[in-house]
Amino acid sequence: MKLLRDMLDKQVVDREQVKIGKLDGLVAELRPGKPPRIIAIEVGSVTLARRLGRLPGQWMARLAAKLGGERHARPHRIPWSKVRDIGVDIEFDIDARETAIFDWQDWLRDHVIGRIPGA
Amino acid sequence: MKLFKNCVERLCRACLVMTAVALAACTSSDPVQQQSRTVASAAQTAALVTDAWMAGAAPARYTAATLQSLAETVTGADRQLRSDASPEPGRRSEVSAAMTRLSTAVKDAEAAVKAGSRPQADKARQDLNGAMADLTVAAARYDQPQS
Amino acid sequence: MKKLLEISLGVVTSVGGFLEIGSMATAAQAGALFGFQLIWSVVLGTVCIIFLVEMAGRFAAVSRHTIADGIRERFGFNAFLWPLLTTVLVNFMVLSAEIGGVAIAGELATGISFQWWALPVAFVAWLLLWKGTFGLIEKGVSMLGLVTLCFVVAAVMLKPDWKQVAVGAAPSLPSHDTANYWFMAVSILGASISPYLFMFYSSGAIEDRWDKSYLGTNRAIAGLGMSFGGTISVGVLIVAALVLGAHGISQVDDYNQLPLMLIPIFGFWGFVLFVASLGIACFGAVLEIALQQAYLIAQGFGWTWGEDSKPRDNPGFASVYSVSIFLAAIPIALGLDPLRLTVFSMAITAASLPLTVVPFLFLLNDKHYVGEHRNGIISNIAVIFIITLGFVLAVVTIPLQIFGGT
């Protein structure tokens, strides 16, 4: 499978070229008798931690849930059908602001960075 | 593949040799020699910085701070030497006496700079020269094989 | 014409940004104790960094990836974690040392102890990153860094025996202080071949939107900029040998000794020049390394990054450099001796090289990324040589660190 080599860890951007993360994981559907099919990609620290091992994955999920609420306990998924272009970056036809991926950056902006003069 | 293995082996051996050489070089140095070199270098620095101040090329505050730090280095080396158990206390004490004289001279120079007194600095500078010569002689005698 | 201007600006930037506390301190110590004998390690380090910087720039211009992007994408996240953690750690130590360098300049200029300078220095640097743009930081600060050329002027004014200088450019075995000799050689190499330098360069190429048409520019900047930079380091070494060494000052372990290099040559102005050189050069390095920490993390995890946009537009990126800069100021504020930290972190840098340089061998030979602009045989030999050198250094430094060294 060349897909794994070529796609994994590439930069992911939304339709306005905003960087939303790296392609941290791929979700495939196993089909009997046919090659597996990619149905979604995953982005975020939970997926990354899972790549290191089962335990780090569980720790990260617990940590993410504690910090950001239950919906951060599972990785952020973007359906593969939304993919628009694969070049230097992989572009998805979504708007990053509508996902929960940037929740922590938004929190940082609203509570820390934005409060410092000149930001 | 075999060639590669050979290379790696040779590389490892080279590293081991280098490490061994380095370790041998470290452990063989004598504490008295080591300390007298540190002190000699500090004393030369004190001479240079005092000269620079007398020539108006170094600010007083900087000169005084440097001399103070150098005096600490000399005193520290002297103290270390006295606390080390040495097989030949006689010869070592000569080195140590020179160091004590040196640290006094450096402190005098510091006081002179702080007071802004050139004649006093001149005097300290001469003491420094004398003490440095003492240290050179004492360290050389220490180096000589026992006769 | 525009290209020529760009090249000269790039060269000026690299020259102004080359010297920092690491190269200054290691060159001074080596010159004082061994005369011209260690010039070869400055030359060797400079040749290595020329190759690495050229490759980093070429990779960025052709593939539109920074080196950090490339490593993560090509080797996957798990493998990327190793160079990431090492570089972050090494950068942290070097950043701390550079803050210490500016703080020493502050102490020399005012008499107020360096500890008190650490946090104000961190604050001013942070403010510049917060409000400034990439161009301002890269060009403005490096331009000021040209004051470090005073070391070259001083070296020429001392009329060294150029034949001896040339002899020193060839490696030779020491006649005394063997352990110290190798430890200094390692530290000099670490000071010249800094990972932050080539990683920062590749991020800069992306920030400046380089494409294939910049390949020539890149080669010129890497070659000329780094050679001139190396010349300044050699200048420091020559001055240290002819001023400190000749006066019998063989051990430079007190930062107060450093200004004495220039005072006998330029008098009071020598003191001023030294303080200015140290302060400006280290301050520039503080900005670059803090930015590099943020680039590395942001690129590694795919966040938005860029020094030209406002902090509120990339909060993650801005947080990383803010936190790095203030954390790195803490050891200095607590009174850790900057000179010792410098020499120590330079040796660690050298030992960490294989982790950051091995990826070059793959990235610069991968058609996927660089297509026809792949490494030639000479570049590949250079990379393999640097990796081997780094490996040997890693094996040698650790025992030296424990038993000998400082």
Side-chain angles (χ1 to χ4, degrees):
Chain A
M1 264 237 308
K2 272 186 78 181
L3 191 69
L4 215 62
R5 199 203 118 162
D6 289 348
M7 309 289 297
L8 208 57
D9 293 304
K10 257 178 156 352
Q11 181 71 51
V12 179
V13 296
D14 76 354
R15 69 168 82 95
E16 262 143 51
Q17 300 297 315
V18 176
K19 294 190 171 76
I20 45 184
K22 297 271 175 175
L23 202 156
D24 295 322
L26 285 162
V27 184
E29 177 188 45
L30 291 171
R31 296 173 300 176
K34 277 187 269 180
R37 190 179 57 183
I38 302 292
I39 50 170
I41 66 147
E42 287 186 351
V43 181
S45 49
V46 177
T47 314
L48 275 182
R50 278 185 189 164
R51 280 169 76 176
L52 295 176
R54 229 172 47 111
L55 270 180
Q58 286 170 359
W59 293 333
M60 187 57 85
R62 225 171 291 156
L63 184 73
K66 209 175 225 172
L67 293 176
E70 267 314 304
R71 75 168 172 163
H72 287 274
R74 274 181 300 151
H76 308 288
R77 279 193 185 173
I78 305 170
W80 187 248
S81 55
K82 297 273 190 193
V83 69
R84 213 152 71 165
D85 179 44
I86 303 177
V88 172
D89 304 329
I90 306 179
E91 190 185 323
F92 283 85
D93 190 14
I94 54 162
D95 187 339
R97 280 165 297 189
E98 287 163 13
T99 67
I101 299 170
F102 276 169
D103 280 4
W104 68 273
Q105 292 228 30
D106 291 339
W107 184 89
L108 259 184
R109 173 174 23 240
D110 297 342
H111 292 85
V112 188
I113 300 291
R115 293 194 175 174
I116 302 170
Chain B
M1 203 56 213
K2 203 173 163 211
L3 190 78
F4 177 71
K5 213 172 148 190
N6 261 337
C7 278
V8 169
E9 245 166 47
R10 212 171 283 173
L11 200 70
C12 287
R13 211 170 299 152
C15 287
L16 275 179
V17 170
M18 276 177 85
T19 316
V21 167
L23 286 179
C26 293
T27 42
S28 70
S29 64
D30 181 283
V32 176
Q33 286 172 341
Q34 185 110 35
Q35 301 295 356
S36 35
R37 276 181 56 192
T38 305
V39 169
S41 171
Q44 297 285 4
T45 311
L48 189 59
V49 77
T50 312
D51 288 347
W53 177 74
M54 287 200 287
R61 220 167 9 203
Y62 157 71
T63 312
T66 307
L67 288 169
Q68 188 185 355
S69 156
L70 292 168
E72 276 164 28
T73 309
V74 176
T75 322
D78 192 9
R79 197 178 309 128
Q80 181 123 40
L81 211 57
R82 285 172 196 274
S83 67
D84 272 350
S86 160
E88 301 159 74
R91 288 201 212 172
R92 197 194 58 201
S93 69
E94 266 179 55
V95 176
S96 195
M99 284 187 186
T100 312
R101 231 188 117 190
L102 258 177
S103 84
T104 315
V106 175
K107 280 176 195 155
D108 285 352
E110 186 199 340
V113 172
K114 275 188 177 151
S117 153
R118 287 176 57 99
Q120 213 179 318
D122 232 5
K123 163 111 194 354
R125 184 67 182 74
Q126 274 161 17
D127 287 352
L128 202 59
N129 269 350
M132 276 197 279
D134 282 1
L135 180 69
T136 317
V137 173
R141 199 172 299 162
Y142 181 88
D143 277 353
Q144 271 164 15
Q146 220 153 19
S147 49
Chain C
M1 196 53 214
K2 194 174 153 266
K3 275 272 138 81
L4 208 64
L5 187 74
E6 208 141 17
I7 290 176
S8 34
L9 205 59
V11 171
V12 166
T13 312
S14 349
V15 174
F18 194 91
L19 200 70
E20 33 72 60
I21 184 134
S23 29
M24 211 186 266
T26 54
Q29 290 190 328
L33 187 54
F34 294 104
F36 299 156
Q37 214 188 345
L38 273 165
I39 288 180
W40 65 267
S41 56
V42 182
V43 175
L44 182 65
T46 307
V47 173
C48 291
I49 194 70
I50 289 176
F51 273 101
L52 292 175
V53 163
E54 190 276 331
M55 284 182 231
R58 173 152 48 95
F59 185 76
V62 179
S63 77
R64 310 291 180 89
H65 285 71
T66 65
I67 291 294
D69 281 333
I71 298 178
R72 161 116 199 231
E73 200 175 303
R74 176 69 173 73
F75 299 96
F77 177 71
N78 293 10
F80 170 71
L81 215 50
W82 295 104
L84 176 76
L85 292 177
T86 324
T87 315
V88 166
L89 199 74
V90 169
N91 279 352
F92 173 77
M93 285 201 286
V94 181
L95 182 58
S96 210
E98 304 293 348
I99 292 178
V102 189
I104 290 175
E107 175 178 327
L108 292 173
T110 61
I112 299 168
S113 167
F114 74 85
Q115 287 170 259
W116 297 103
W117 286 98
L119 287 171
V121 166
F123 178 74
V124 175
W126 171 82
L127 199 65
L128 257 176
L129 291 178
W130 194 257
K131 302 287 278 182
T133 59
F134 184 75
L136 174 84
I137 285 163
E138 191 194 25
K139 295 184 177 95
V141 179
S142 314
M143 215 64 106
L144 290 175
L146 289 181
V147 68
T148 53
L149 281 170
C150 65
F151 281 101
V152 179
V153 175
V156 173
M157 278 170 68
L158 285 168
K159 298 204 181 67
D161 180 353
W162 293 109
K163 223 158 105 196
Q164 288 298 317
V165 173
V167 169
S172 54
L173 288 174
S175 54
H176 59 96
D177 297 274
T178 314
N180 237 329
Y181 182 85
W182 291 112
F183 186 78
M184 281 185 187
V186 170
S187 308
I188 290 177
L189 286 170
S192 322
I193 321 175
S194 320
Y196 86 83
L197 215 59
F198 55 76
M199 289 185 135
F200 183 81
Y201 188 81
S202 80
S203 305
I206 302 283
E207 290 245 35
D208 288 339
R209 295 171 200 288
W210 281 16
D211 54 31
K212 277 182 198 164
S213 71
Y214 280 79
L215 285 175
T217 314
N218 172 48
R219 207 167 298 150
I221 293 177
L224 290 175
M226 297 296 138
S227 331
F228 286 145
T231 310
I232 303 182
S233 293
V234 174
V236 177
L237 194 144
I238 291 177
V239 172
L242 293 182
V243 174
L244 302 181
H247 276 91
I249 303 171
S250 58
Q251 296 178 12
V252 182
D253 33 31
D254 183 338
Y255 55 81
N256 279 311
Q257 292 171 298
L258 295 172
L260 289 174
M261 283 195 274
L262 294 183
I263 291 176
I265 308 169
F266 299 117
F268 181 73
W269 282 105
F271 181 78
V272 176
L273 274 174
F274 179 82
V275 172
S277 299
L278 182 71
I280 293 171
C282 296
F283 190 73
V286 169
L287 295 177
E288 282 194 11
I289 302 170
L291 258 187
Q292 178 50 39
Q293 289 287 61
Y295 283 146
L296 188 62
I297 303 280
Q299 289 160 6
F301 293 96
W303 312 341
T304 46
W305 57 275
E307 174 53 17
D308 287 339
S309 47
K310 293 194 144 225
R312 61 178 313 110
D313 295 330
N314 34 20
F317 178 78
S319 311
V320 176
Y321 67 65
S322 308
V323 171
S324 317
I325 235 174
F326 286 105
L327 272 186
I330 292 173
I332 303 299
L334 292 178
L336 186 65
D337 183 70
L339 194 59
R340 281 208 185 153
L341 177 66
T342 301
V343 177
F344 179 79
S345 50
M346 291 307 132
I348 296 290
T349 304
S352 77
L353 277 177
L355 274 174
T356 37
V357 179
V358 167
F360 274 74
L361 198 57
F362 294 88
L363 293 176
L364 269 300
N365 285 303
D366 193 327
K367 266 196 191 151
H368 261 79
Y369 293 101
V370 279
E372 59 188 315
H373 302 284
R374 273 186 303 177
N375 263 0
I377 199 154
I378 297 177
S379 294
N380 276 332
I381 290 173
V383 179
I384 294 174
F385 175 76
I386 298 168
I387 295 168
T388 319
L389 189 71
F391 179 73
V392 174
L393 293 184
V395 176
V396 176
T397 354
I398 294 157
L400 281 185
Q401 199 80 262
I402 300 167
F403 296 102
T406 50

